[in-house]
Amino acid sequence: MRGLMQGDHLLISSLIEFANKNHGDSEIISRRVEGDIHRSNWATIYKRSKQVARALDRLQIAAGERVATLAWNGYRHLELYYGVSGSERVLHTLNPRLLPDQIAWIIDHAQDQVVCFETTFVPIIKAIHANCPHVKYWIALCEEAALPLDPGLPKVISYESWIKAEEGGSYTWPQFDENTASSMCYTSGTTGHPKAALYSHRSTLLHAFSTCQVDVFGISARDSILPVVPMFHVNAWGLPYACAMAGAKLVFPGPGLDGKSVYELMELEGVTFAAGVPTVWQMLLNYMAPLGVKFSSLKRTIIGGSACPPAMIHAFQENYGVEVLHAWGMTEMSPLGTVCTLKNKHLKLSSEEQMKVRLKQGRALFGVEMKILGDSGEELPHDGIAFGDLYVKGPWVIENYYRNDQESPLVKGWFPTGDVATIDPDGFIQITDRSKDVIKSGGEWISSIEIENIAMSHPSVLMAACIGVAHPKWDERPVVVVVLRPETKLDKADLLGFYEGKIAKWQVPDDVIFVDGIPLGATGKMLKTKLREQLKAYSLPTK
Ligand code: ADP
């Protein structure tokens, strides 16, 4: 028997309609490439996103066609989020930190018809436009007067003039099937060509509902939210959608991601909740510590994308009274899978025991199912000890990649995350490694994340990466590559001694390599593939 409830489809346009009607005066603040701080609100974003939709009609971009963005976090990008997807086109966010050749490959693979770019990225457009035969329009996110005039550019339209032409016109969002594609994002592709996750209106809305829950982002109309995590990578963890659903104020950092710019913006706009990867928060903490300044409004920060070092959780909580929510997810999961919020029973634990829980990546959101499998495909117990390959399923997990000419990545309906994890009886996962980074020593596995976390809890260590090096007897042994904090000293023996009592003796790294920097990928994560390449000539010390 069919239920007798209204079957309206879950569409992204309903979010901006809602935000306009109920939270029209909630502010949208953006630091711009123009150098100033721009003030808008949900009502204006609503109006201008409809202008975007009409302007796309005028260019005769059909439903389902891809409209790409190469842009920082800001109000114009937000208008494109709603104008493009709301009008049944597909928003394709491009990562400007990739190499120009990779960006051109991605634009070509997605067959983007329009590319909207920030003027900061003129050098990229110059380098790639000749290799993008499908692109019909290049739109610069600026006023007519600020149009870049470089002769190496193709014909460029000013975004402001383009949408101004639609001022005063009316527009009704089209209604269509909620399984229609809404946006796409290519994974960084550390191996092989990048692959695209193609999100739907339904998956995006369900993800937004779930992330708004109290034990997840727990955001409200009273919050002022700073997504430092980029809108060009997995939709800034869905915050542009969740904030419309909650009616929250949004504060966009634009290109200003250094500690000083982020701190000043937080203080200026009363930011209560922020989201980002550990490398960005490290820059913020490094800026604040020597000045002795504090946060006056920030209450919670969500940290994910790579493992959050204990020292960072500790610094936020003990020095600044800010709660850290450790989260895990991936492009293929829209991206959120788990968030670490404590249960009542954890509140009774000592602070040391509590920290052990906080270091975990947390428990699944409603909607995400998880399991871990052993080497022969057997399901492993959720006892917090057994670790294996982590598989997930759910309505915002991919079924297949866009234009994938190989088999679907799913195994019996489950998506293999490529991560190795434990799951405890309360459902908290702990990621021990990417499966390709696991260190196998004498038939046992050593967690590189654990080795890194210990090193990073040493006061002199700024960053640490642990990799396995071939060993004739043990197969592989761990070494830890370390960047020291400025003006600190540490010798190998001291750091190796620091591991004593914290992990089993055989897990302690064989060596410490001090370097000036660790290569980072396009999403701010340590690039261990590159690090291994750099250390090709390295051999373990003979004992
Ligand atoms: P890519 O880096 O390929 O662009 P994603 O940004 O989707 O891909 O990254 C997903 C991966 O990042 C996860 O599979 C996991 O390995 C890692 N990751 C994300 N969050 C965490 C976390 N909190 N702790 C450890 N690893 C994490």
Side-chain angles (χ1 to χ4, degrees), residues 19-63:
N20 172 53
K21 278 197 191 106
N22 303 289
H23 305 282
D25 61 352
S26 271
E27 286 186 293
I28 310 293
I29 308 297
S30 317
R31 191 190 285 283
R32 304 200 295 178
V33 291
E34 286 90 332
D36 58 349
I37 305 254
H38 177 273
R39 310 193 83 81
S40 180
N41 58 29
W42 280 112
T44 310
I45 298 293
Y46 168 76
K47 200 174 98 226
R48 285 170 48 101
S49 63
K50 284 193 160 187
Q51 286 171 232
V52 168
R54 282 172 53 94
L56 286 167
D57 286 352
R58 195 172 81 233
L59 298 184
Q60 297 186 325
I61 305 299

Side-chain angles (χ1 to χ4, degrees), residues 187-189 233 303-308 326-332 361 417 419 431 434 449 523 525:
T187 62
S188 320
H233 191 60
I303 303 184
S306 49
C308 181
H326 192 190
W328 167 85
M330 56 198 311
T331 307
E332 289 87 340
Q361 279 73 6
T417 63
D419 286 332
I431 306 285
R434 284 301 276 169
I449 295 182
T523 53
K525 299 179 197 194

Side-chain angles (χ1 to χ4, degrees), residues 245-487:
M245 188 174 269
K249 168 176 173 178
L250 262 169
V251 182
F252 289 126
L257 301 177
D258 58 290
K260 181 174 189 286
S261 306
V262 169
Y263 176 73
E264 285 174 359
L265 195 60
M266 281 180 163
E267 288 301 292
L268 208 62
E269 298 302 332
V271 167
T272 55
F273 178 96
V277 294
T279 35
V280 167
W281 295 140
Q282 194 62 58
M283 291 195 284
L284 178 67
L285 295 175
N286 290 350
Y287 168 76
M288 292 175 69
L291 296 179
V293 290
K294 302 272 174 198
F295 296 112
S296 50
S297 53
L298 188 68
K299 293 193 190 77
R300 286 173 304 139
T301 173
I302 185 142
I303 303 184
S306 49
C308 181
M312 186 170 286
I313 301 184
H314 192 270
F316 268 112
Q317 286 187 181
E318 306 306 319
N319 306 350
Y320 301 106
V322 172
E323 186 186 8
V324 169
L325 307 173
H326 192 190
W328 167 85
M330 56 198 311
T331 307
E332 289 87 340
M333 297 178 72
S334 302
L336 219 60
T338 65
V339 174
C340 191
T341 33
L342 301 187
K343 294 185 172 185
N344 271 336
K345 63 166 104 170
H346 300 128
L347 303 179
K348 299 180 196 124
L349 299 175
S350 67
S351 58
E352 214 169 288
E353 288 299 310
Q354 241 185 45
M355 181 58 101
K356 283 190 191 151
V357 182
R358 288 194 179 281
L359 278 178
K360 297 190 174 193
Q361 279 73 6
R363 52 200 162 94
L365 278 62
F366 168 77
V368 176
E369 286 182 69
M370 301 189 298
K371 66 176 181 184
I372 40 174
L373 300 185
D375 281 346
S376 31
E378 76 285 14
E379 201 161 333
L380 298 174
H382 293 189
D383 58 6
I385 298 164
F387 52 86
D389 294 315
L390 178 63
Y391 285 72
V392 293
K393 75 198 293 295
W396 55 84
V397 176
I398 64 159
E399 189 174 72
N400 206 339
Y401 293 103
Y402 173 67
R403 289 186 66 201
N404 182 13
D405 50 14
Q406 285 152 21
E407 268 176 51
S408 149
L410 300 197
V411 182
K412 296 184 184 143
W414 291 75
F415 177 74
T417 63
D419 286 332
V420 177
T422 61
I423 306 182
D424 74 15
D426 292 313
F428 285 63
I429 64 162
Q430 180 146 29
I431 306 285
T432 54
D433 258 307
R434 284 301 276 169
S435 54
K436 55 183 188 294
D437 293 335
V438 162
I439 298 162
K440 295 185 190 95
S441 179
E444 299 284 348
W445 288 14
I446 299 176
S447 159
S448 65
I449 295 182
E450 192 174 13
I451 307 281
E452 288 156 10
N453 277 348
I454 295 173
M456 281 192 276
S457 63
H458 190 287
S460 302
V461 175
L462 182 64
M463 212 192 255
C466 174
I467 55 170
V469 175
H471 187 281
K473 181 168 173 201
W474 304 113
D475 289 337
E476 268 186 326
R477 289 295 301 154
V479 298
V480 61
V481 183
V482 166
V483 182
L484 289 180
R485 288 184 185 282
E487 287 155 41

